[in-house]
Amino acid sequence: MLAIKNLTKSFKTRNAVDNISLDIPDGQMVGVIGRSGAGKSTLLRMINRLAEPTGGSIIFDGRDVTALKGRELLEWRANCAMVFQQFNLVGRLNVLTNVLTGRLYHHGLIASMFQVFTPAERAFAIRALDRLGMAHTALQQADTLSGGQMQRVAIARALAQEPKIVLADEPIASLDPMNAKVVMDALRTINREDGIAVICNLHTLDTARNYCDRVIGLFEGRVVFDGPPSALTEQAAREIYGAEADEAFSESMTSTTLKPAGTEVPAERLTEADLQQRARAELLAG
Amino acid sequence: MASIDVNAGPQPNDAVSVFEHHRSELRRQRLGMNILFIGAFLLALGLSIWVSRFYPDRLAAGLPRIFEYFGTIMPNLQFDLLFEGRGADGRAVPGSLTFWYSDFNVYIRLIVETIFMALTATILGATAAFLLCFPASRNLAPNSFIYIVSRRFMEICRGVPEILYALVFVFAIGIGPLAGVLAIAIHSAGALGKLFSEVNENASMRPVEGIRGVGGNWFEEIRYGVVPQVMPNFVSYTLLRFEINVRASSIVGFVGAGGIGAELNRVISLYSDDRVVAVLLLVVITVTLIDLLSEQMRTHFIGRENLQ
């Protein structure tokens, strides 16, 4: 269980995160929503200690994460996997090595420097890739992949860490709707099958509604909403996004999800595979 | 929105007039700076002409003497004797290629020594530069103390010319190629280290953050996040340095630090005859060949980059 107490991050003129307290039980899928600049990223990066808090504490299973140093800090980062908006893969290494970097904490320095990984580790990495349907790209250089594929590799890297908790910082903000769905489905599968808590920054309300057990709304560094998606009324959304009362607020405007099958699908969202399938169907029909 | 009225004339707080005012101010500032720079440049040019006494009359007097010297060191080849071998008594005929290049075997041995000196020095220097360049990169240095120390160390390495290091090492460890190799390696470490660290500073930090996020330590961040990105550039710079080092190792011999330079120094100061041109020609041919070769290898590396 992750307990955040009075967490604050101050910059010169303002608090990016302002006295946030949260309890996140194991196995929960949490969506964090809010305007850009509301402090979502800072919050996540502080949990992983990629950013240093200026006040408050983060307790995981009774251990104060904010006080960790040296090797203990590295151990925490290994236990607390991070998925980034821009994937942060090493483009010039192959996919398998990228996934294997998830094992670096468990490695000796010499083995790391010479990229020596055991067959067991390779097998583990391949299985992680296979769960995300990416095993066939294992020997491809990472920068030859598409955005959606890269994010799936990044999630496989997170799985290779055998994490206790997964943080995802806007994992679908750079992806097209089709890939966004694949990535969100993958995160949810990990959450359900492995019982790992997933905290996910999202920029669209409907993704949070569709995927999360719990939605946390941030506004100017403070929690203004915390509850199940069903409690997220339009009034609450207005408060989170700071929309003026008379301003039109439409949830569908921020939506990037595809309409369910049967309703109209815009042509430009079809993938190449869809087009091939359609062509094949037309051929068969004569 | 009201349509824009072109004939409305300037208004005090209108966006256009604010912009025009700002623009003319900026141009005035730039003009002042340009005049200042041109003035400073002309002053420096005048001073350097005065200090080096680069005057037309001196130039006119000196140029013929240059040709005079080249006249004395030109080989006295005779066309009909060009391919004449050694006579029965083992002596070469004056005017033949054999006579001009009678020390050919010595020269070749020294040229090979020069190339190997450059190769060893480049490998040593590039290795040292590789180890130094990461702490000397602003974005990668673990703390500012290590950053400043490694930067200053590289500056000392490249701030002193090879020939001075060679002189010191000849005194310290004796005459021979080892002194030259060490001298060139130290200078290369400093020069390459600076270039390498500039490559590092332009590398994307995203992979580094990714490795930090999985619990990698500083060495792993460098090994996985930075090295794969910068390696092609490192190789290219190292090959360029090898060319420079071939030239450098043909010079350090002047102070006894091995290579063809010792022979060049000897023939210039003792004989000043056609042997000078014989050695010079070999040096020029060697350097040109090495340049062409490493150019080929470099474009091969860069070309492979662009294909991806």
Side-chain angles (χ1 to χ4, degrees):
Chain A
M1 155 141 149
L2 183 77
I4 296 169
K5 285 182 188 148
N6 307 110
L7 195 67
T8 301
K9 172 82 176 177
S10 316
F11 292 117
K12 269 173 198 151
T13 53
R14 60 186 193 95
N15 288 348
V17 168
D18 193 359
N19 205 20
I20 286 184
S21 294
L22 288 171
D23 280 339
I24 292 163
D26 290 337
Q28 199 170 50
M29 179 117 182
V30 182
V32 182
I33 56 173
R35 298 213 299 212
S36 41
K40 308 188 296 280
S41 265
T42 316
L43 176 65
L44 244 61
R45 295 169 69 85
M46 280 196 288
I47 297 175
N48 187 257
R49 289 282 307 277
L50 284 172
E52 289 301 313
T54 36
S57 57
I58 302 163
I59 316 282
F60 187 80
D61 289 346
R63 199 166 175 211
D64 189 356
V65 169
T66 38
L68 297 180
K69 275 194 183 123
R71 186 135 180 93
E72 284 185 325
L73 172 59
L74 300 185
E75 185 193 2
W76 166 243
R77 285 186 183 144
N79 283 332
C80 171
M82 184 84 158
V83 175
F84 300 87
Q85 179 181 346
Q86 295 296 336
F87 331 125
N88 291 13
L89 297 178
V90 186
R92 295 184 47 85
L93 292 178
N94 66 28
V95 166
L96 183 69
T97 313
N98 266 292
V99 177
L100 284 167
T101 59
R103 303 301 304 164
L104 279 180
Y105 169 75
H106 306 276
H107 258 241
L109 187 63
I110 304 293
S112 291
M113 291 301 108
F114 291 96
Q115 282 189 20
V116 179
F117 295 96
T118 62
E121 280 176 318
R122 274 202 295 279
F124 189 71
I126 288 286
R127 283 201 197 96
L129 276 171
D130 197 33
R131 275 186 76 177
L132 290 137
M134 293 295 294
H136 62 287
T137 62
L139 294 174
Q140 225 171 302
Q141 194 160 301
D143 55 13
T144 60
L145 301 180
S146 71
Q149 290 179 313
M150 283 199 201
Q151 195 59 294
R152 280 145 77 189
V153 172
I155 294 173
R157 175 173 70 182
L159 282 179
Q161 290 174 245
E162 297 181 282
K164 293 182 175 148
I165 182 168
V166 171
L167 311 174
D169 187 7
E170 300 271 11
I172 57 168
S174 316
L175 303 181
D176 61 87
M178 200 78 87
N179 277 309
K181 184 176 177 332
V182 171
V183 164
M184 284 312 293
D185 285 346
L187 284 174
R188 173 141 76 184
T189 309
I190 291 162
N191 168 256
R192 292 281 183 271
E193 288 179 0
D194 305 13
I196 300 172
V198 174
I199 308 175
C200 191
N201 282 350
L202 294 167
H203 66 294
T204 56
L205 266 178
D206 54 345
T207 319
R209 269 191 213 285
N210 292 342
Y211 286 95
C212 300
D213 308 321
R214 176 182 175 190
V215 176
I216 292 168
L218 295 188
F219 182 73
E220 293 185 348
R222 278 171 285 109
V223 175
V224 293
F225 178 87
D226 185 355
S230 55
L232 190 60
T233 57
E234 197 190 312
Q235 184 52 42
R238 275 179 191 279
E239 201 181 344
I240 294 166
Y241 287 100
E244 295 295 325
D246 53 340
E247 232 173 278
F249 184 85
S250 160
E251 191 172 325
S252 63
M253 270 182 67
T254 67
S255 168
T256 52
T257 44
L258 296 178
K259 298 276 187 297
T263 58
E264 37 92 42
V265 176
E268 68 272 15
R269 284 179 179 167
L270 288 173
T271 64
E272 218 155 302
D274 292 329
L275 290 173
Q276 276 173 7
Q277 209 166 10
R278 185 183 282 181
R280 221 171 285 141
E282 277 169 9
L283 269 177
L284 284 175
Chain B
M1 280 294 274
S3 64
I4 296 164
D5 186 0
V6 186
N7 302 320
Q11 263 136 45
N13 277 324
D14 166 51
V16 174
S17 61
V18 168
F19 163 76
E20 284 296 338
H21 177 73
H22 192 71
R23 181 169 172 267
S24 61
E25 203 169 306
L26 207 68
R27 279 170 68 104
R28 249 200 318 280
Q29 276 176 11
R30 290 240 177 92
L31 188 69
M33 281 311 267
N34 285 348
I35 289 172
L36 203 71
F37 274 121
I38 291 169
F41 173 74
L42 288 177
L43 189 74
L45 183 68
L47 268 174
S48 65
I49 288 176
W50 181 64
V51 167
S52 63
R53 301 208 283 150
F54 189 84
Y55 304 136
D57 54 329
R58 275 173 56 85
L59 208 61
L63 271 178
R65 284 210 297 272
I66 294 177
F67 290 117
E68 211 173 284
Y69 179 68
F70 273 106
T72 63
I73 60 172
M74 274 300 155
N76 194 13
L77 293 177
Q78 280 160 19
F79 192 70
D80 49 333
L81 299 171
L82 208 54
F83 299 106
E84 204 71 20
R86 287 174 189 276
D89 54 352
R91 285 178 176 280
V93 186
S96 72
L97 276 176
T98 329
F99 183 79
W100 185 28
Y101 268 106
S102 47
D103 288 335
F104 187 71
N105 290 338
V106 177
Y107 299 158
I108 288 300
R109 191 181 62 73
L110 286 171
I111 287 277
V112 170
E113 182 179 289
T114 307
I115 293 172
F116 277 117
M117 276 169 67
L119 196 64
T120 318
T122 309
I123 292 169
L124 286 177
T127 309
F130 183 83
L131 297 177
L132 279 168
C133 72
F134 300 108
S137 305
R138 201 183 302 274
N139 52 344
L140 303 174
N143 60 53
S144 56
F145 176 74
I146 292 179
Y147 169 74
I148 289 168
V149 167
S150 44
R151 281 253 143 173
R152 292 300 92 80
F153 180 70
M154 293 194 319
E155 274 158 23
I156 294 166
C157 285
R158 68 171 182 277
V160 181
E162 285 112 342
I163 196 92
L164 285 185
Y165 279 127
L167 207 59
V168 171
F169 282 120
V170 164
F171 275 112
I173 57 179
I175 286 177
L178 182 61
V181 167
L182 287 178
I184 297 167
I186 288 174
H187 192 87
S188 296
L192 274 180
K194 183 181 167 64
L195 291 173
F196 285 3
S197 67
E198 270 164 17
V199 174
N200 291 338
E201 281 169 4
N202 284 325
S204 162
M205 288 303 279
R206 290 217 175 101
V208 179
E209 193 179 45
I211 300 297
R212 189 174 300 158
V214 301
N217 59 30
W218 185 81
F219 294 97
E220 287 158 345
E221 282 172 26
I222 299 291
R223 173 66 184 84
Y224 290 86
V226 185
V227 171
Q229 288 187 65
V230 296
M231 215 49 203
N233 274 327
F234 280 16
V235 171
S236 166
Y237 278 134
T238 304
L239 283 169
L240 187 68
R241 192 70 215 177
F242 176 59
E243 293 174 35
I244 297 170
N245 284 350
V246 171
R247 283 187 279 273
S249 53
S250 51
I251 290 302
V252 291
F254 273 74
V255 296
I260 191 83
E263 184 66 15
L264 195 57
N265 188 24
R266 197 175 70 88
V267 294
I268 289 176
S269 44
L270 290 188
Y271 306 106
S272 260
D273 61 4
D274 58 357
R275 274 171 277 202
V276 176
V277 171
V279 178
L280 271 180
L281 211 58
L282 275 180
V283 171
V284 170
I285 289 170
T286 309
V287 168
T288 310
L289 283 179
I290 296 282
D291 277 13
L292 288 174
L293 197 74
S294 78
E295 176 74 36
Q296 283 288 315
M297 285 173 78
R298 274 216 318 282
T299 45
H300 171 74
F301 267 94
I302 296 163
R304 221 174 53 183
E305 277 306 282
N306 290 341
L307 279 179
Q308 282 167 3

